[in-house]
Amino acid sequence: MAPTPQPIPDRMQRVELGDRSYDVVVGGTLLCRLGALARAALGNSASNAVIVADEGLPASLVRLAADSLSAERFTVSTHELKATEPNKNIESAERICIAMANARLERRDPVIALGGGIVGDLAGFAASIYRRGIPVIQCPTTLLSMVDAAVGGKTGANLSVTDSNGRCSLLKNLVGAFHQPSLVLADVDALSTLSDRQFRAGLAECLKHAMLALDVERTNEHSEDLLTFTLHSAPGILTRDRSLLATLVARNIAIKARVVASDERELSTVASGGRAILNLGHTFAHAIETLPALSPSNDPTQAPLHHGEAVALGLVAAAHAAAAMGLLPPADADQVRAAVEALGLPTQVANLPSNDALIARMRHDKKVVGGQIRLILPWKLGAVRSYFDPPNRVVNAGWDAIRA
Ligand code: GLY
């Protein structure tokens, strides 16, 4: 018999969004308690549930979630999907809606998203359109989705678009909706199912939060600021110490929750705040993450980059762009590179296109307004601001910093 894991206290974070507020619970053995927590969040009128699960998850994890829901009188159906970027499309969302219709889901019945960001985004999107919106409970099983995608209500699918020259591009998350979950359960025990590469990819989003945490975490809330904690704890985090992981995930979710509560729909134009600051490193990352020739270790069998690996490179690029702009001392930019390396993530990549080609790709990012690139740049370690249309030499310095 497997040894019973040490109990980890549950940590609760409320995402304050008026009548769309919800709890995020971080802890261990949470999937065994999914049914009871779902019942408490949704009330007694919910009777059917569809679990949308990544087909790559261990069957035991899916069964745990299903049994827990059944024990709370939910009639459960499971819909599995292949969680890849090409498969993150409207047809997959439609198939989820059909599974919901077959399971006779009504307005108060939930869909449970069990998997990483692709599953969460697609299940959330399907929940936003089925019967004009039903509840979704996000049960992220990757570090990346726990600290980022599962919280905040962004849902969507990619769109494959062919232009007038016959060129086809996969446009990431071009369709979607804001649809806040009714509950988020971040069960750190699910993290033991990840490969090292998948796990480390999630640490890039943690480092991103650490690089903007000073203005978001409350003063004196913790004995160490998030960047210091993350780097001090890196050895234990990398060996997946459950208790350290619970602290890491809870602190990261608290940051995400506060930023989302301040600007749910990313409409704020305040340079020092708003949801846009969560795009730190992402304008660089989006320009390279769909390039098929890039790999984290210069090994073509590892191509393409994972989203988290592209974000890690983007953080190094943003730090060096900030140094070129005179915002950040060069030694601090080097410290960001060292932090990325300490977390086992890439700091340089071979086969990058020319800077001009990369800048052209940045101008096509879906977040661009009026063709202007908006970069989120650190002005000290732990604090960022946004800058519209930075000079090309600044952006070039970012790309040069990660070019192998
Ligand atoms: N991943 C950035 C956001 O949720 O706004």
Side-chain angles (χ1 to χ4, degrees):
M1 215 167 87
T4 314
Q6 284 288 324
I8 305 175
D10 289 349
R11 293 152 211 243
M12 226 41 154
Q13 173 72 48
R14 186 93 178 142
V15 184
E16 297 289 354
L17 289 168
D19 61 0
R20 293 178 314 293
S21 298
Y22 53 96
D23 287 326
V24 183
V25 189
V26 181
T29 64
L30 283 177
L31 287 178
C32 312
R33 293 179 277 145
L34 165 62
L37 292 162
R39 183 59 75 204
L42 301 173
N44 282 327
S45 50
S47 53
N48 296 335
V50 169
I51 298 177
V52 178
D54 181 336
E55 69 172 26
L57 283 178
S60 56
L61 208 68
V62 183
R63 208 171 320 114
L64 210 60
D67 289 350
S68 165
L69 288 162
S70 301
E72 282 291 330
R73 308 175 316 281
F74 285 96
T75 303
V76 184
S77 314
T78 301
H79 175 83
E80 296 204 337
L81 65 84
K82 194 174 157 79
T84 60
E85 286 296 338
N87 207 30
K88 187 182 173 186
N89 53 32
I90 293 181
E91 290 76 18
S92 293
E94 185 185 15
R95 279 193 287 274
I96 297 172
C97 290
I98 292 168
M100 293 170 177
N102 284 333
R104 303 195 184 288
L105 254 56
E106 296 184 353
R107 287 293 289 276
R108 294 178 184 193
D109 293 329
V111 57
I112 315 291
L114 186 62
I118 292 176
V119 168
D121 281 10
L122 275 174
F125 180 46
S128 78
I129 52 177
Y130 179 81
R131 292 184 183 247
R132 299 200 177 88
I134 62 167
V136 59
I137 294 181
Q138 294 283 354
C139 297
T141 58
T142 66
L143 180 59
L144 198 123
S145 57
M146 283 183 192
V147 300
D148 187 20
V151 178
K154 282 188 180 174
T155 73
N158 302 331
L159 204 61
S160 200
V161 177
T162 306
D163 68 16
S164 51
N165 299 317
R167 265 194 310 262
C168 182
S169 330
L170 188 66
L171 300 177
K172 283 195 58 166
N173 301 328
L174 199 71
V175 288
F178 284 96
H179 186 60
Q180 297 295 342
S182 301
L183 176 68
V184 181
L185 301 183
D187 186 339
V188 294
D189 290 326
L191 299 177
S192 63
T193 64
L194 302 180
S195 68
D196 279 343
R197 184 176 177 191
Q198 259 182 321
F199 177 75
R200 286 194 303 262
L203 292 174
E205 294 288 357
C206 296
L207 188 58
K208 175 194 83 176
H209 287 146
M211 286 176 63
L212 54 82
L214 287 186
D215 288 338
V216 186
E217 285 195 319
R218 298 192 179 107
T219 323
N220 298 330
E221 201 174 7
H222 301 281
S223 54
E224 284 179 319
D225 67 77
L226 186 57
L227 187 56
T228 310
F229 164 78
T230 307
L231 295 176
H232 272 170
S233 313
I237 289 171
L238 288 168
T239 54
R240 305 194 207 178
D241 176 288
R242 291 168 75 243
S243 165
L244 271 181
L245 287 179
T247 305
L248 179 77
V249 170
R251 283 186 72 169
N252 276 274
I253 285 177
I255 288 183
K256 175 95 195 237
R258 284 180 196 159
V259 173
V260 167
S262 73
D263 180 24
E264 182 184 7
R265 292 186 172 239
E266 205 171 319
L267 296 172
S268 168
T269 50
V270 176
S272 59
R275 190 163 178 165
I277 62 171
L278 298 175
N279 291 324
L280 172 62
H282 282 61
T283 311
F284 288 102
H286 288 157
I288 57 175
E289 69 184 322
T290 53
L291 293 174
L294 303 193
S295 101
S297 48
N298 206 5
D299 168 0
T301 65
Q302 301 290 301
L305 296 169
H306 284 189
H307 174 68
E309 292 162 347
V311 170
L313 290 160
L315 295 176
V316 177
H320 284 84
M325 196 135 157
L327 296 171
L328 194 68
D332 285 1
D334 291 338
Q335 231 178 297
V336 171
R337 188 190 293 279
V340 170
E341 212 164 83
L343 295 174
L345 287 158
T347 61
Q348 287 193 308
V349 65
N351 301 323
L352 273 186
S354 69
N355 287 352
D356 286 350
L358 289 165
I359 290 176
R361 288 178 69 85
M362 289 168 110
R363 289 196 194 284
H364 280 106
D365 194 276
K366 72 174 182 307
K367 308 234 174 191
V368 160
V369 180
Q372 284 194 332
I373 292 173
R374 181 186 193 183
L375 281 187
I376 310 298
L377 296 177
W379 57 271
K380 67 175 175 179
L381 292 178
V384 297
R385 290 179 70 83
S386 60
Y387 294 87
F388 281 100
D389 234 8
N392 275 3
R393 70 170 179 82
V394 164
V395 186
N396 287 341
W399 289 123
D400 291 341
I402 62 166
R403 188 180 293 282

